[in-house]
């Protein structure tokens, strides 16, 4: 799919948005009226992205010097013309007007109590409502919901900088795609973009994978090898699922970040590296620090800037827009988007977030109307499905009388094999270009590519 096709799609989405209210409310102020931090004040402006965090942590937007307050105690976010406060599993709880809450909607004038601190919520008045940004994507990251459109100006500023960024969010929200977008929209775009998944390497090999090793430094080290820091020199290194890195390695990672130098396993020599660091996690690192599983000094080094990607269930209207975006890339821009499929996915919460939605669209493209109905609310009746309309691989699979899970797996594997071959052929074997055209991160494309085998000699690999 060309950038021109993407621009046409974006224009269509913006036309749809022009029919919706484009103003966002003027905002609220949090005024600390009692407690050790009395006198502090924080304005929740409508153009600020995502949630505003309050707690003891220095990285919170409103940092409180109150021992009874948790590191990340509560979150505030604009919902329409009201302010939602959510307790984040704090030790001593969050109270609104003296009542303990898990979540509450505020209109202004309420008092929120956290530990020994009292916060007065004030509605800002006398200001004109602001307009949301009109962009419906940032690089490869697509979304037209207010939650996502409010993020894009921050993403642009961070892309132009060189500071470390911590990207937080549930599994499947698109953290790696956003990280790659930040890289590609910044001054290091011509340098390498390297991903290190802290959960994908055995613990005894993580140090070698990060920093490299010399020949003979351990059993099996038959040759010297660069680590991901050296591979990312001049570009960007994404430390994915950083919250899963073990404590001893966190100390070594911190040293490498502070010195911009790495030392290979089995070597006494330090190697200078020029790397922009991004980190991603599905975990609440403030809670991990409280539990003693994550170093606070490493956290402050990584969280110079923080972005929280909202889950898909909080991105109003994005399910259909993302599904249409994936459909265009998987099925082709001229293939009509099925109306009945659109109705089904809009009723589903997608606990697996954007990744689950992408997989649902891929199944629908691969299987057509026989795609399993997994995009429905629990307890909802399954809609009728039509039999396959014609031969090829699906008929052959049905003739085997396999159990449904195995038959579905076989068909999806064949679809992925054909899709990878086709998109690689269209881009002359260039994996980066093929991944971009597929609308997925390069690492995920490589995973699909590695588990698919050509059915004919000479097919693109």
């Amino acid at each position: 799919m060309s950038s021109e096709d993407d621009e046409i799609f974006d224009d269509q989405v913006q036309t749809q948005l022009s029919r919706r209210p484009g103003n966002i409310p003027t905002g609220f102020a949090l005024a600390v009226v009692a407690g050790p931090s009395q006198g502090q004040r924080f304005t929740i402006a409508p153009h600020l992205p995502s949630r505003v965090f309050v707690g003891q942590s220095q990285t919170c937007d409103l940092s409180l010097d109150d021992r009874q307050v948790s590191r990340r105690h509560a979150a505030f976010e604009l919902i329409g013309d009201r302010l939602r406060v959510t307790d984040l599993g704090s030790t001593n709880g969050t109270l609104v007007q003296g009542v303990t809450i898990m979540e509450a909607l505020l209109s202004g004038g309420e008092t929120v109590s956290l530990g020994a601190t009292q916060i007065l919520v004030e509605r800002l008045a006398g200001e004109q409502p602001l307009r949301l940004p009109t962009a419906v994507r940032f690089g490869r990251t697509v979304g037209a919901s207010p939650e996502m459109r409010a993020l894009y100006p921050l993403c642009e500023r961070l892309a132009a900088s060189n500071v470390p960024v911590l990207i937080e969010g549930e599994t499947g929200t698109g953290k790696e795609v956003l990280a790659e977008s930040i890289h590609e929209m910044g001054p290091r775009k011509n340098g390498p973009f390297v991903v290190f998944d802290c959960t994908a390497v055995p613990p005894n090999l993580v140090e070698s994978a990060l920093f490299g090793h010399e020949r003979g430094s351990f059993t099996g080290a038959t040759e010297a090898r660069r680590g991901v820091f050296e591979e990312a020199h001049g570009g960007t290194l994404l430390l994915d699922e950083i919250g899963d890195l073990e404590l001893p390695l966190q100390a070594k990672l911190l040293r490498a970040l502070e010195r911009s130098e790495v030392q290979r396993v089995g070597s006494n020599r330090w190697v200078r590296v020029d790397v922009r660091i991004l980190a991603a996690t599905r975990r609440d690192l403030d809670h991990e620090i409280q539990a003693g599983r994550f170093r606070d000094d490493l956290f402050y080094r990584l969280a110079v800037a923080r972005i929280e990607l909202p889950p898909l269930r909080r991105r109003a209207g994005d399910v259909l827009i993302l599904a249409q975006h994936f459909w265009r890339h998987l099925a082709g821009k001229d293939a009509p988007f099925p109306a009945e499929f659109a109705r089904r996915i809009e009723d589903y919460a997608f606990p697996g977030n954007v990744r689950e939605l992408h997989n649902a669209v891929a199944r629908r493209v691969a299987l057509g109307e026989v795609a399993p109905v997994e995009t429905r609310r629990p307890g909802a009746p399954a809609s009728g499905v039509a039999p396959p309309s014609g031969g090829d691989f699906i008929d052959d699979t049905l003739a085997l009388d396999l159990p449904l899970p195995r038959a579905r797996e076989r068909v999806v594997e064949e679809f992925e094999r054909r899709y990878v071959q086709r998109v690689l052929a269209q881009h002359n074997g260039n994996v980066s270009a093929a991944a971009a055209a597929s609308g997925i991160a390069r690492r995920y494309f490589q995973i699909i590519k590695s588990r698919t085998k050509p059915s004919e000699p000479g097919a693109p690999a």
Side-chain angles (χ1 to χ4, degrees):
M1 193 75 65
S2 68
S3 58
E4 182 179 347
D5 290 329
D6 284 337
E7 289 176 4
I8 293 172
F9 176 75
D10 292 353
D11 289 341
Q12 293 171 347
V13 174
Q14 288 175 346
T15 299
Q16 297 174 23
L17 292 176
S18 66
R19 304 188 186 106
R20 305 178 190 174
N23 290 338
I24 45 181
T26 56
F28 290 82
L30 305 179
V32 181
V33 295
S37 299
Q38 183 175 348
Q40 282 198 56
R41 182 181 176 88
F42 186 86
T43 299
I44 302 180
H47 60 275
L48 289 177
S50 194
R51 299 190 289 178
V52 168
F53 293 103
V54 178
Q56 267 201 77
S57 173
Q58 295 177 23
T59 62
C60 284
D61 302 282
L62 179 56
S63 181
L64 301 174
D65 185 18
D66 184 343
R67 292 182 177 272
Q68 298 181 43
V69 170
S70 298
R71 286 182 59 89
R72 189 191 280 192
H73 194 108
F76 294 81
E77 60 185 322
L78 290 169
I79 303 294
D81 63 347
R82 303 179 76 183
L83 185 68
R84 178 164 63 193
V85 56
T86 305
D87 182 84
L88 300 176
S90 65
T91 301
N92 294 318
T94 300
L95 289 77
V96 175
Q97 299 296 102
V99 177
T100 301
I101 58 97
M102 290 297 295
E103 184 176 285
L105 286 175
L106 311 177
S107 299
E110 299 89 350
T111 298
V112 180
S113 301
L114 293 70
T117 298
Q118 291 187 354
I119 299 173
L120 177 63
V121 176
E122 301 175 348
R123 179 183 288 274
L124 299 180
E127 300 178 19
Q128 292 296 317
L130 300 177
R131 298 285 299 179
L132 277 168
T134 58
V136 297
R137 73 168 67 226
F138 172 75
R140 302 179 187 220
T141 302
V142 176
S145 62
E147 292 80 5
M148 293 302 293
R149 290 159 66 194
L151 274 178
Y152 297 151
L154 173 63
C155 292
E156 290 175 0
R157 292 194 295 272
L158 291 177
S161 74
N162 201 42
V163 300
V165 180
L166 178 63
I167 305 173
E168 301 169 284
E170 296 177 7
T171 297
T173 49
K175 298 184 291 293
E176 184 176 332
V177 173
L178 177 60
E180 195 163 357
S181 299
I182 290 174
H183 166 75
E184 292 179 344
M185 302 292 283
R188 292 175 176 259
K189 62 183 178 182
N190 294 323
F193 176 75
V194 179
V195 179
F196 178 76
D197 188 339
C198 297
T199 65
V201 180
N204 62 316
L205 297 178
V206 170
E207 183 177 1
S208 169
L210 281 171
F211 310 125
H213 64 257
E214 298 295 343
R215 180 180 178 183
S217 56
F218 55 85
T219 303
T222 57
E223 59 183 3
R225 179 182 178 277
R226 296 190 306 168
V228 293
F229 271 88
E230 290 184 70
E231 291 176 356
H233 180 74
T236 302
L237 173 60
L238 170 62
L239 300 170
D240 199 14
E241 296 301 350
I242 187 66
D244 291 77
L245 192 65
E246 294 188 350
L247 276 169
L249 286 165
Q250 292 177 26
K252 295 181 178 181
L253 174 61
L254 176 63
R255 183 178 179 86
L257 296 179
E258 289 177 337
R259 296 183 53 159
S260 295
E261 293 179 332
V262 296
Q263 188 179 59
R264 294 183 182 180
V265 176
S267 173
N268 293 322
R269 184 172 66 91
W270 288 92
V271 179
R272 190 79 178 170
V273 289
D274 173 24
V275 177
R276 201 258 174 98
I277 297 295
L278 306 177
T281 182
R282 71 191 186 284
R283 298 184 181 275
D284 184 339
L285 293 188
D286 289 290
H287 285 173
E288 294 298 299
I289 292 171
Q290 283 183 302
R293 293 188 291 264
F294 202 84
R295 295 177 60 108
D296 55 356
D297 47 3
L298 176 59
F299 175 78
Y300 294 132
R301 170 67 64 173
L302 294 172
V304 175
R306 297 172 82 167
I307 297 177
E308 186 192 21
L309 273 178
L312 195 50
R313 62 183 175 274
R314 285 174 43 209
R315 295 171 55 175
D318 274 355
V319 166
L320 189 55
I321 288 171
L322 282 166
Q324 292 171 336
H325 169 72
F326 295 144
W327 182 271
R328 286 168 58 86
H329 282 273
L330 294 170
K333 62 184 178 65
D334 296 324
F337 188 72
E340 50 82 19
F341 182 63
R343 288 191 294 270
R344 282 162 49 194
I345 61 176
E346 285 189 305
D347 282 340
Y348 185 63
F350 285 99
N353 292 299
V354 179
R355 182 180 297 136
E356 183 184 2
L357 175 60
H358 180 275
N359 292 341
V361 175
R363 280 197 304 272
R364 186 63 171 79
V365 172
L367 304 179
E369 293 183 352
V370 301
V373 183
E374 295 181 2
T375 54
R376 58 187 175 94
R377 292 166 292 183
S383 60
V385 294
S389 57
D392 192 30
F393 191 77
I394 291 180
D395 279 347
D396 294 341
T397 301
L398 292 174
L400 297 174
D401 293 326
L402 297 170
L404 175 61
R406 179 60 193 129
R408 179 172 62 224
E409 178 184 354
R410 193 169 186 266
V411 172
V412 171
E413 286 176 352
E414 175 66 9
F415 165 75
E416 289 182 343
R417 185 188 68 78
R418 294 186 190 183
Y419 183 85
V420 165
Q421 288 184 11
R422 179 175 179 271
V423 74
L424 279 172
Q426 289 174 337
H427 294 86
N428 300 317
N430 186 313
V431 172
S432 297
S438 303
I440 59 178
R442 276 182 290 188
R443 185 167 67 97
Y444 184 49
F445 187 89
Q446 288 277 26
I447 291 172
I448 296 175
K449 177 174 175 287
S450 67
R451 67 182 183 224
T452 59
K453 297 180 180 180
S455 58
E456 299 175 358

